[in-house]
Amino acid sequence: MFDDINDLYQQVILDHCKKPRNFHEMAQATCSAQGHNPLCGDQLKLFLSLEGDKISDVSFVGSGCCISKASASLLTEFAKGKTRADVETMFERVHEMVTTGKVLGDVGKLAVFAGVHKYPARVKCAILSWHALMAALKGDQKPVTTENEQA
Ligand code: ZN
């Protein structure tokens, strides 16, 4: 899929795509949000369990391309145990990284998506789960769509 992406990055994405982490519904979720990327056909639903300001658990279900699934899978790994502020900071970093390729600060494993900015159609796949996460934290009931996302 990516010609010039680092092999390791590609392996991480493929691994999370084939074996998504935290891939299940969550009956005890305190909030959830749905995301849809009409350009690619990616659909997902994200579940959060909030304890005060902290995300104690997070999971997702859905279908879509490898990038969208790997992004959601890595997002759940990142978000578990984090605070609302941690997640907002990381959303800004991931958004900047996938749209411009600039990595601001420590993004951990999420760095695997740095190459996505070279593929404008894939940016929405990578950012979909993040928009869903922000919507879930805000309590938005309306499904998120990447339609208005500036790639
Ligand atoms: Zn996609």
Side-chain angles (χ1 to χ4, degrees), residues 104-117:
L104 311 169
D106 184 11
V107 295
K109 270 198 212 171
L110 296 161
V112 298
F113 296 105
V116 166
H117 78 281

Side-chain angles (χ1 to χ4, degrees), residues 12-134:
V12 172
I13 290 173
L14 284 174
D15 176 52
H16 278 266
C17 162
K18 285 186 196 146
K19 289 177 289 176
R21 317 302 197 265
N22 306 300
F23 191 70
H24 56 81
E25 301 211 8
M26 195 194 297
Q28 76 279 21
T30 51
C31 47
S32 67
Q34 290 185 55
H36 178 217
N37 174 15
L39 274 184
C40 179
D42 308 316
Q43 304 241 31
L44 62 86
K45 186 168 184 187
L46 202 71
F47 301 88
L48 293 183
S49 179
L50 282 171
E51 277 172 22
D53 209 33
K54 205 174 119 186
I55 298 171
S56 57
D57 203 6
V58 49
S59 71
F60 79 106
V61 293
S63 61
C65 68
C66 230
I67 298 288
S68 69
K69 266 160 88 178
S71 173
S73 175
L74 282 154
L75 175 153
T76 62
E77 279 197 336
F78 163 77
K80 210 179 271 195
K82 297 293 193 299
T83 64
R84 197 180 278 266
D86 293 335
V87 165
E88 280 166 5
T89 303
M90 192 55 85
F91 171 77
E92 298 294 330
R93 288 181 187 169
V94 170
H95 193 272
E96 181 72 17
M97 182 176 71
V98 300
T99 51
T100 70
K102 277 190 220 123
V103 181
L104 311 169
D106 184 11
V107 295
K109 270 198 212 171
L110 296 161
V112 298
F113 296 105
V116 166
H117 78 281
K118 293 176 201 152
Y119 308 86
R122 295 277 150 199
V123 170
K124 297 182 183 201
C125 304
I127 206 74
L128 177 65
S129 54
W130 287 90
H131 280 302
L133 175 60
M134 300 314 283

